[in-house]
Amino acid sequence: MSLNINDLFSVKGKIAIVTGGSRGIGEMIASGYLSNGAKVYVTARKEEALINKAKELSEKFNTDCIPFCVDLSDIVGIKTFLDFVTKAEPNGIDFLINNAGAAWGADLDSYPEDGWDKVVDLNLKSPFFITQQMSPLLEMKATSDNPSRVINIASIDGIRVSNMAETYAYSASKSGIIHLTKHLAKTLVDRNIIVNAIAPGPFDSHMLGKAVNFDYSFISKMNPRKRIGSPEDIAGLCLYLSSRAGAYTVGETITCDGGMVATT
Ligand SMILES: NC(=O)c1ccc[n+]([C@@H]2O[C@H](COP(=O)([O-])OP(=O)(O)OC[C@H]3O[C@@H](n4cnc5c(N)ncnc54)[C@H](OP(=O)(O)O)[C@@H]3O)[C@@H](O)[C@H]2O)c1
């Protein structure tokens, strides 16, 4: 047993997948692992942006950030990605971070079916099938003392109803992933794979930025902490959930929102 912080929170030498790692919250999470000696696979659809980001992060943290360009919203893309990871890491992986997500806002009367499908496919169906497909690779590395981890990136919009926009599919998908986290956790804990979720509040990203013209001042003012989230906030929580320190936390959804859900 070691309660030294360097052992308790270590992810050194581990292998992580961060879906949607080319920007926003996924980039913040990938950076947290990379800066602490893990190897990270990042995915996105836009190839040039992804390759440039992976190169930038590899150089910045002097370690391996490996890009794989894929649309993960259906099983074909997920299986293509699985083939790649299986060949690259035949001995398995340690962490899977289901982060890639999308939103769609429209009023109730005109909410379109294609918007619903796009959001629910990526935010809810995809994390289920990625976890299903990657679980044998996660299991290869998993032991009782050193369990593998899955972290689903949910949202506080899956816990309470947003007053910012009419994002029906988004809130339903995020609520779904919170319950799916518990169900997967129940099954996979027997295979030494621990599943948890994080429910972020506002963070600087393409998704939120587009909705507020990249001016976060109003959102910051309303937040109990008077700011939006930072890379340290989300990366720190992922490191906790991925390390020895988080190995007895199972099936939980932890908010990372400056106190929005708990205090407002
Ligand atoms: N930002 C916030 O305030 C906030 C708050 C709560 C929860 N979240 C959650 O955090 C996660 C990350 O969001 P973000 O705000 O960082 O969004 P973002 O800046 O839009 O990043 C989304 C990432 O997902 C990738 N992606 C999108 N569609 C994809 C697809 N079909 N297949 C594979 N990759 C895809 C994007 O790359 P490509 O476009 O190149 O595919 C990008 O890398 C999401 O699950 C979101 O719901 C965000």
mmCIF file of all heavy atoms in Angstrom, residues 19-26 43-46 70-73 98-102 122-123 153-156 170 174 199-208, ligand 1:
data_model
loop_
_atom_site.group_PDB
_atom_site.id
_atom_site.type_symbol
_atom_site.label_atom_id
_atom_site.label_comp_id
_atom_site.label_asym_id
_atom_site.label_seq_id
_atom_site.Cartn_x
_atom_site.Cartn_y
_atom_site.Cartn_z
ATOM 1 N N THR A 19 -12.280 9.402 -26.940
ATOM 2 C CA THR A 19 -13.026 9.695 -28.175
ATOM 3 C C THR A 19 -13.322 11.197 -28.206
ATOM 4 O O THR A 19 -13.529 11.828 -27.158
ATOM 5 C CB THR A 19 -14.338 8.886 -28.267
ATOM 6 O OG1 THR A 19 -15.270 9.366 -27.287
ATOM 7 C CG2 THR A 19 -14.092 7.399 -28.067
ATOM 8 N N GLY A 20 -13.317 11.763 -29.408
ATOM 9 C CA GLY A 20 -13.515 13.210 -29.511
ATOM 10 C C GLY A 20 -12.390 13.985 -28.840
ATOM 11 O O GLY A 20 -12.621 15.005 -28.201
ATOM 12 N N GLY A 21 -11.160 13.489 -29.022
ATOM 13 C CA GLY A 21 -10.019 14.122 -28.345
ATOM 14 C C GLY A 21 -9.373 15.242 -29.132
ATOM 15 O O GLY A 21 -8.319 15.756 -28.741
ATOM 16 N N SER A 22 -9.975 15.664 -30.232
ATOM 17 C CA SER A 22 -9.310 16.660 -31.082
ATOM 18 C C SER A 22 -9.487 18.094 -30.593
ATOM 19 O O SER A 22 -8.806 19.003 -31.068
ATOM 20 C CB SER A 22 -9.833 16.561 -32.520
ATOM 21 O OG SER A 22 -11.198 16.923 -32.592
ATOM 22 N N ARG A 23 -10.412 18.306 -29.669
ATOM 23 C CA ARG A 23 -10.632 19.676 -29.166
ATOM 24 C C ARG A 23 -11.486 19.607 -27.885
ATOM 25 O O ARG A 23 -11.919 18.511 -27.468
ATOM 26 C CB ARG A 23 -11.340 20.529 -30.228
ATOM 27 C CG ARG A 23 -12.676 19.990 -30.668
ATOM 28 C CD ARG A 23 -13.409 20.930 -31.603
ATOM 29 N NE ARG A 23 -14.785 20.493 -31.726
ATOM 30 C CZ ARG A 23 -15.351 19.996 -32.831
ATOM 31 N NH1 ARG A 23 -14.641 19.905 -33.933
ATOM 32 N NH2 ARG A 23 -16.603 19.619 -32.839
ATOM 33 N N GLY A 24 -11.732 20.778 -27.306
ATOM 34 C CA GLY A 24 -12.666 20.896 -26.184
ATOM 35 C C GLY A 24 -12.317 20.018 -24.998
ATOM 36 O O GLY A 24 -11.149 19.830 -24.642
ATOM 37 N N ILE A 25 -13.339 19.461 -24.395
ATOM 38 C CA ILE A 25 -13.156 18.663 -23.177
ATOM 39 C C ILE A 25 -12.292 17.428 -23.442
ATOM 40 O O ILE A 25 -11.470 17.049 -22.608
ATOM 41 C CB ILE A 25 -14.546 18.288 -22.596
ATOM 42 C CG1 ILE A 25 -15.179 19.542 -21.964
ATOM 43 C CG2 ILE A 25 -14.454 17.156 -21.590
ATOM 44 C CD1 ILE A 25 -16.543 19.326 -21.334
ATOM 45 N N GLY A 26 -12.450 16.813 -24.619
ATOM 46 C CA GLY A 26 -11.639 15.636 -24.953
ATOM 47 C C GLY A 26 -10.157 15.971 -24.992
ATOM 48 O O GLY A 26 -9.322 15.203 -24.516
ATOM 49 N N THR A 43 -9.645 10.254 -31.094
ATOM 50 C CA THR A 43 -10.416 10.094 -32.331
ATOM 51 C C THR A 43 -11.221 11.358 -32.624
ATOM 52 O O THR A 43 -11.517 12.137 -31.719
ATOM 53 C CB THR A 43 -11.430 8.931 -32.232
ATOM 54 O OG1 THR A 43 -12.496 9.335 -31.366
ATOM 55 C CG2 THR A 43 -10.810 7.671 -31.705
ATOM 56 N N ALA A 44 -11.566 11.528 -33.893
ATOM 57 C CA ALA A 44 -12.496 12.575 -34.349
ATOM 58 C C ALA A 44 -12.768 12.283 -35.826
ATOM 59 O O ALA A 44 -12.118 11.404 -36.418
ATOM 60 C CB ALA A 44 -11.901 13.962 -34.180
ATOM 61 N N ARG A 45 -13.709 13.026 -36.432
ATOM 62 C CA ARG A 45 -13.994 12.814 -37.863
ATOM 63 C C ARG A 45 -13.112 13.689 -38.738
ATOM 64 O O ARG A 45 -12.709 13.295 -39.815
ATOM 65 C CB ARG A 45 -15.464 13.121 -38.158
ATOM 66 C CG ARG A 45 -16.444 12.131 -37.577
ATOM 67 C CD ARG A 45 -17.824 12.726 -37.560
ATOM 68 N NE ARG A 45 -17.803 14.024 -36.870
ATOM 69 C CZ ARG A 45 -18.787 14.893 -36.848
ATOM 70 N NH1 ARG A 45 -19.901 14.644 -37.482
ATOM 71 N NH2 ARG A 45 -18.659 16.040 -36.194
ATOM 72 N N LYS A 46 -12.833 14.916 -38.310
ATOM 73 C CA LYS A 46 -12.091 15.853 -39.164
ATOM 74 C C LYS A 46 -10.606 15.543 -39.073
ATOM 75 O O LYS A 46 -9.946 15.851 -38.074
ATOM 76 C CB LYS A 46 -12.407 17.294 -38.749
ATOM 77 C CG LYS A 46 -13.884 17.613 -38.935
ATOM 78 C CD LYS A 46 -14.219 19.054 -38.624
ATOM 79 C CE LYS A 46 -15.721 19.247 -38.597
ATOM 80 N NZ LYS A 46 -16.360 19.001 -37.290
ATOM 81 N N VAL A 70 -12.273 8.707 -37.415
ATOM 82 C CA VAL A 70 -13.411 7.781 -37.560
ATOM 83 C C VAL A 70 -14.692 8.462 -37.086
ATOM 84 O O VAL A 70 -14.675 9.292 -36.182
ATOM 85 C CB VAL A 70 -13.147 6.481 -36.739
ATOM 86 C CG1 VAL A 70 -13.045 6.766 -35.249
ATOM 87 C CG2 VAL A 70 -14.193 5.417 -36.997
ATOM 88 N N ASP A 71 -15.803 8.099 -37.736
ATOM 89 C CA ASP A 71 -17.115 8.497 -37.245
ATOM 90 C C ASP A 71 -17.606 7.375 -36.331
ATOM 91 O O ASP A 71 -17.821 6.247 -36.791
ATOM 92 C CB ASP A 71 -18.081 8.698 -38.421
ATOM 93 C CG ASP A 71 -19.434 9.236 -37.970
ATOM 94 O OD1 ASP A 71 -19.787 9.051 -36.781
ATOM 95 O OD2 ASP A 71 -20.138 9.827 -38.802
ATOM 96 N N LEU A 72 -17.782 7.690 -35.060
ATOM 97 C CA LEU A 72 -18.121 6.648 -34.082
ATOM 98 C C LEU A 72 -19.619 6.541 -33.815
ATOM 99 O O LEU A 72 -20.033 5.890 -32.865
ATOM 100 C CB LEU A 72 -17.386 6.925 -32.759
ATOM 101 C CG LEU A 72 -15.876 6.722 -32.795
ATOM 102 C CD1 LEU A 72 -15.245 7.203 -31.488
ATOM 103 C CD2 LEU A 72 -15.518 5.255 -33.040
ATOM 104 N N SER A 73 -20.420 7.166 -34.674
ATOM 105 C CA SER A 73 -21.858 7.164 -34.381
ATOM 106 C C SER A 73 -22.575 5.894 -34.841
ATOM 107 O O SER A 73 -23.761 5.741 -34.603
ATOM 108 C CB SER A 73 -22.538 8.404 -34.980
ATOM 109 O OG SER A 73 -22.375 8.408 -36.371
ATOM 110 N N ASN A 98 -15.358 7.734 -23.035
ATOM 111 C CA ASN A 98 -16.399 7.991 -24.026
ATOM 112 C C ASN A 98 -16.792 9.465 -23.921
ATOM 113 O O ASN A 98 -17.672 9.831 -23.127
ATOM 114 C CB ASN A 98 -17.611 7.091 -23.750
ATOM 115 C CG ASN A 98 -17.337 5.644 -24.108
ATOM 116 O OD1 ASN A 98 -16.825 5.355 -25.194
ATOM 117 N ND2 ASN A 98 -17.666 4.727 -23.221
ATOM 118 N N ASN A 99 -16.118 10.280 -24.716
ATOM 119 C CA ASN A 99 -16.299 11.742 -24.613
ATOM 120 C C ASN A 99 -17.002 12.362 -25.819
ATOM 121 O O ASN A 99 -17.728 13.343 -25.661
ATOM 122 C CB ASN A 99 -14.917 12.387 -24.425
ATOM 123 C CG ASN A 99 -14.948 13.881 -24.668
ATOM 124 O OD1 ASN A 99 -15.399 14.661 -23.829
ATOM 125 N ND2 ASN A 99 -14.494 14.311 -25.852
ATOM 126 N N ALA A 100 -16.800 11.810 -27.024
ATOM 127 C CA ALA A 100 -17.354 12.448 -28.235
ATOM 128 C C ALA A 100 -18.849 12.662 -28.060
ATOM 129 O O ALA A 100 -19.567 11.760 -27.613
ATOM 130 C CB ALA A 100 -17.087 11.571 -29.461
ATOM 131 N N GLY A 101 -19.308 13.854 -28.401
ATOM 132 C CA GLY A 101 -20.732 14.136 -28.223
ATOM 133 C C GLY A 101 -21.174 15.256 -29.141
ATOM 134 O O GLY A 101 -20.354 15.981 -29.722
ATOM 135 N N ALA A 102 -22.494 15.361 -29.287
ATOM 136 C CA ALA A 102 -23.057 16.405 -30.137
ATOM 137 C C ALA A 102 -24.344 16.925 -29.497
ATOM 138 O O ALA A 102 -24.941 16.238 -28.653
ATOM 139 C CB ALA A 102 -23.360 15.843 -31.525
ATOM 140 N N LEU A 122 -24.872 9.347 -31.242
ATOM 141 C CA LEU A 122 -23.496 9.611 -30.801
ATOM 142 C C LEU A 122 -23.370 9.636 -29.275
ATOM 143 O O LEU A 122 -22.385 9.142 -28.725
ATOM 144 C CB LEU A 122 -22.995 10.950 -31.385
ATOM 145 C CG LEU A 122 -21.541 11.269 -31.063
ATOM 146 C CD1 LEU A 122 -20.589 10.244 -31.682
ATOM 147 C CD2 LEU A 122 -21.174 12.677 -31.536
ATOM 148 N N ASN A 123 -24.345 10.214 -28.593
ATOM 149 C CA ASN A 123 -24.204 10.426 -27.143
ATOM 150 C C ASN A 123 -24.607 9.218 -26.305
ATOM 151 O O ASN A 123 -24.155 9.094 -25.166
ATOM 152 C CB ASN A 123 -25.070 11.606 -26.686
ATOM 153 C CG ASN A 123 -24.628 12.931 -27.283
ATOM 154 O OD1 ASN A 123 -23.760 12.969 -28.144
ATOM 155 N ND2 ASN A 123 -25.234 14.015 -26.838
ATOM 156 N N ILE A 153 -18.589 10.621 -20.466
ATOM 157 C CA ILE A 153 -18.776 12.060 -20.256
ATOM 158 C C ILE A 153 -20.249 12.384 -20.507
ATOM 159 O O ILE A 153 -20.712 12.387 -21.656
ATOM 160 C CB ILE A 153 -17.841 12.900 -21.148
ATOM 161 C CG1 ILE A 153 -16.371 12.502 -20.892
ATOM 162 C CG2 ILE A 153 -18.046 14.392 -20.868
ATOM 163 C CD1 ILE A 153 -15.874 12.637 -19.455
ATOM 164 N N ALA A 154 -20.959 12.621 -19.425
ATOM 165 C CA ALA A 154 -22.394 12.951 -19.485
ATOM 166 C C ALA A 154 -22.522 14.476 -19.545
ATOM 167 O O ALA A 154 -21.792 15.145 -20.287
ATOM 168 C CB ALA A 154 -23.097 12.353 -18.270
ATOM 169 N N SER A 155 -23.424 15.027 -18.761
ATOM 170 C CA SER A 155 -23.609 16.487 -18.693
ATOM 171 C C SER A 155 -24.547 16.781 -17.539
ATOM 172 O O SER A 155 -25.421 15.948 -17.226
ATOM 173 C CB SER A 155 -24.226 17.009 -19.986
ATOM 174 O OG SER A 155 -24.667 18.356 -19.811
ATOM 175 N N ILE A 156 -24.423 17.979 -16.986
ATOM 176 C CA ILE A 156 -25.417 18.354 -15.964
ATOM 177 C C ILE A 156 -26.802 18.474 -16.603
ATOM 178 O O ILE A 156 -27.805 18.387 -15.905
ATOM 179 C CB ILE A 156 -25.034 19.645 -15.211
ATOM 180 C CG1 ILE A 156 -24.857 20.836 -16.161
ATOM 181 C CG2 ILE A 156 -23.818 19.429 -14.341
ATOM 182 C CD1 ILE A 156 -24.753 22.183 -15.431
ATOM 183 N N TYR A 170 -30.480 15.979 -26.500
ATOM 184 C CA TYR A 170 -29.239 16.066 -25.716
ATOM 185 C C TYR A 170 -29.512 15.699 -24.256
ATOM 186 O O TYR A 170 -28.826 14.855 -23.672
ATOM 187 C CB TYR A 170 -28.669 17.484 -25.830
ATOM 188 C CG TYR A 170 -27.319 17.652 -25.175
ATOM 189 C CD1 TYR A 170 -26.167 17.183 -25.805
ATOM 190 C CD2 TYR A 170 -27.184 18.271 -23.939
ATOM 191 C CE1 TYR A 170 -24.924 17.333 -25.218
ATOM 192 C CE2 TYR A 170 -25.947 18.429 -23.341
ATOM 193 C CZ TYR A 170 -24.814 17.955 -23.983
ATOM 194 O OH TYR A 170 -23.582 18.093 -23.394
ATOM 195 N N LYS A 174 -28.126 12.395 -22.319
ATOM 196 C CA LYS A 174 -27.207 12.518 -21.181
ATOM 197 C C LYS A 174 -27.801 11.888 -19.924
ATOM 198 O O LYS A 174 -27.087 11.322 -19.099
ATOM 199 C CB LYS A 174 -26.848 13.993 -20.957
ATOM 200 C CG LYS A 174 -26.027 14.596 -22.091
ATOM 201 C CD LYS A 174 -24.702 13.865 -22.281
ATOM 202 C CE LYS A 174 -23.827 14.484 -23.360
ATOM 203 N NZ LYS A 174 -22.543 13.796 -23.529
ATOM 204 N N ALA A 199 -20.328 14.461 -15.066
ATOM 205 C CA ALA A 199 -21.329 15.382 -15.630
ATOM 206 C C ALA A 199 -20.751 16.794 -15.589
ATOM 207 O O ALA A 199 -20.842 17.476 -14.564
ATOM 208 C CB ALA A 199 -22.625 15.302 -14.829
ATOM 209 N N PRO A 200 -20.157 17.226 -16.714
ATOM 210 C CA PRO A 200 -19.577 18.579 -16.709
ATOM 211 C C PRO A 200 -20.671 19.651 -16.748
ATOM 212 O O PRO A 200 -21.749 19.443 -17.315
ATOM 213 C CB PRO A 200 -18.757 18.632 -18.008
ATOM 214 C CG PRO A 200 -18.657 17.229 -18.505
ATOM 215 C CD PRO A 200 -19.867 16.521 -17.980
ATOM 216 N N GLY A 201 -20.333 20.791 -16.170
ATOM 217 C CA GLY A 201 -21.079 22.021 -16.408
ATOM 218 C C GLY A 201 -20.433 22.717 -17.593
ATOM 219 O O GLY A 201 -19.882 22.058 -18.481
ATOM 220 N N PRO A 202 -20.449 24.048 -17.639
ATOM 221 C CA PRO A 202 -19.893 24.752 -18.807
ATOM 222 C C PRO A 202 -18.361 24.725 -18.886
ATOM 223 O O PRO A 202 -17.679 25.007 -17.913
ATOM 224 C CB PRO A 202 -20.389 26.193 -18.605
ATOM 225 C CG PRO A 202 -20.696 26.308 -17.155
ATOM 226 C CD PRO A 202 -21.089 24.956 -16.672
ATOM 227 N N PHE A 203 -17.874 24.358 -20.075
ATOM 228 C CA PHE A 203 -16.433 24.375 -20.380
ATOM 229 C C PHE A 203 -16.248 25.030 -21.749
ATOM 230 O O PHE A 203 -17.104 24.891 -22.628
ATOM 231 C CB PHE A 203 -15.876 22.942 -20.443
ATOM 232 C CG PHE A 203 -15.535 22.359 -19.107
ATOM 233 C CD1 PHE A 203 -16.530 21.909 -18.254
ATOM 234 C CD2 PHE A 203 -14.210 22.270 -18.695
ATOM 235 C CE1 PHE A 203 -16.222 21.377 -17.012
ATOM 236 C CE2 PHE A 203 -13.882 21.734 -17.460
ATOM 237 C CZ PHE A 203 -14.889 21.288 -16.607
ATOM 238 N N ASP A 204 -15.108 25.657 -21.933
ATOM 239 C CA ASP A 204 -14.763 26.258 -23.220
ATOM 240 C C ASP A 204 -14.678 25.155 -24.275
ATOM 241 O O ASP A 204 -13.891 24.217 -24.132
ATOM 242 C CB ASP A 204 -13.400 26.961 -23.085
ATOM 243 C CG ASP A 204 -12.937 27.565 -24.397
ATOM 244 O OD1 ASP A 204 -13.786 27.768 -25.286
ATOM 245 O OD2 ASP A 204 -11.723 27.824 -24.521
ATOM 246 N N SER A 205 -15.501 25.248 -25.307
ATOM 247 C CA SER A 205 -15.472 24.231 -26.362
ATOM 248 C C SER A 205 -16.234 24.745 -27.566
ATOM 249 O O SER A 205 -16.960 25.734 -27.483
ATOM 250 C CB SER A 205 -16.122 22.933 -25.878
ATOM 251 O OG SER A 205 -17.519 23.084 -25.835
ATOM 252 N N HIS A 206 -16.072 24.026 -28.660
ATOM 253 C CA HIS A 206 -16.801 24.320 -29.885
ATOM 254 C C HIS A 206 -18.316 24.225 -29.618
ATOM 255 O O HIS A 206 -19.085 25.092 -30.013
ATOM 256 C CB HIS A 206 -16.378 23.275 -30.920
ATOM 257 C CG HIS A 206 -16.891 23.512 -32.289
ATOM 258 N ND1 HIS A 206 -16.492 24.580 -33.058
ATOM 259 C CD2 HIS A 206 -17.775 22.820 -33.029
ATOM 260 C CE1 HIS A 206 -17.123 24.524 -34.208
ATOM 261 N NE2 HIS A 206 -17.908 23.477 -34.222
ATOM 262 N N MET A 207 -18.700 23.163 -28.889
ATOM 263 C CA MET A 207 -20.124 22.907 -28.658
ATOM 264 C C MET A 207 -20.779 24.050 -27.884
ATOM 265 O O MET A 207 -21.765 24.637 -28.323
ATOM 266 C CB MET A 207 -20.296 21.597 -27.875
ATOM 267 C CG MET A 207 -21.745 21.203 -27.664
ATOM 268 S SD MET A 207 -21.898 19.771 -26.581
ATOM 269 C CE MET A 207 -21.339 18.463 -27.639
ATOM 270 N N LEU A 208 -20.224 24.407 -26.731
ATOM 271 C CA LEU A 208 -20.830 25.474 -25.925
ATOM 272 C C LEU A 208 -20.529 26.841 -26.545
ATOM 273 O O LEU A 208 -21.383 27.728 -26.592
ATOM 274 C CB LEU A 208 -20.291 25.422 -24.484
ATOM 275 C CG LEU A 208 -20.819 26.517 -23.558
ATOM 276 C CD1 LEU A 208 -22.331 26.384 -23.369
ATOM 277 C CD2 LEU A 208 -20.124 26.458 -22.198
HETATM 278 N N1 LIG B 1 -18.503 21.992 -23.354
HETATM 279 C C1 LIG B 1 -19.364 21.908 -22.398
HETATM 280 O O1 LIG B 1 -19.698 22.903 -21.744
HETATM 281 C C2 LIG B 1 -19.967 20.562 -22.034
HETATM 282 C C3 LIG B 1 -20.808 20.495 -20.918
HETATM 283 C C4 LIG B 1 -21.341 19.266 -20.556
HETATM 284 C C5 LIG B 1 -21.010 18.127 -21.254
HETATM 285 N N2 LIG B 1 -20.189 18.211 -22.343
HETATM 286 C C6 LIG B 1 -19.865 16.960 -23.049
HETATM 287 O O2 LIG B 1 -18.472 16.861 -23.230
HETATM 288 C C7 LIG B 1 -18.186 16.092 -24.396
HETATM 289 C C8 LIG B 1 -17.218 16.879 -25.284
HETATM 290 O O3 LIG B 1 -17.892 18.035 -25.727
HETATM 291 P P1 LIG B 1 -17.167 19.394 -26.135
HETATM 292 O O4 LIG B 1 -17.949 20.479 -25.518
HETATM 293 O O5 LIG B 1 -15.715 19.297 -25.890
HETATM 294 O O6 LIG B 1 -17.548 19.393 -27.696
HETATM 295 P P2 LIG B 1 -16.725 19.741 -29.009
HETATM 296 O O7 LIG B 1 -15.768 20.848 -28.771
HETATM 297 O O8 LIG B 1 -17.758 19.925 -30.056
HETATM 298 O O9 LIG B 1 -15.890 18.405 -29.287
HETATM 299 C C9 LIG B 1 -16.547 17.236 -29.691
HETATM 300 C C10 LIG B 1 -15.519 16.211 -30.113
HETATM 301 O O10 LIG B 1 -16.215 15.035 -30.563
HETATM 302 C C11 LIG B 1 -15.832 14.749 -31.926
HETATM 303 N N3 LIG B 1 -16.977 14.183 -32.636
HETATM 304 C C12 LIG B 1 -18.154 14.800 -32.923
HETATM 305 N N4 LIG B 1 -18.961 13.968 -33.605
HETATM 306 C C13 LIG B 1 -18.276 12.794 -33.751
HETATM 307 C C14 LIG B 1 -18.569 11.551 -34.370
HETATM 308 N N5 LIG B 1 -19.738 11.319 -34.994
HETATM 309 N N6 LIG B 1 -17.633 10.567 -34.315
HETATM 310 C C15 LIG B 1 -16.458 10.780 -33.704
HETATM 311 N N7 LIG B 1 -16.126 11.939 -33.093
HETATM 312 C C16 LIG B 1 -17.023 12.924 -33.120
HETATM 313 C C17 LIG B 1 -15.388 16.108 -32.475
HETATM 314 O O11 LIG B 1 -14.519 16.013 -33.607
HETATM 315 P P3 LIG B 1 -15.107 15.999 -35.129
HETATM 316 O O12 LIG B 1 -16.141 17.091 -35.210
HETATM 317 O O13 LIG B 1 -13.913 16.210 -35.978
HETATM 318 O O14 LIG B 1 -15.697 14.639 -35.301
HETATM 319 C C18 LIG B 1 -14.650 16.659 -31.268
HETATM 320 O O15 LIG B 1 -13.384 16.066 -31.159
HETATM 321 C C19 LIG B 1 -19.538 15.819 -25.057
HETATM 322 O O16 LIG B 1 -19.999 14.520 -24.701
HETATM 323 C C20 LIG B 1 -20.440 16.878 -24.454
HETATM 324 O O17 LIG B 1 -21.801 16.516 -24.463
HETATM 325 C C21 LIG B 1 -19.669 19.410 -22.754
#
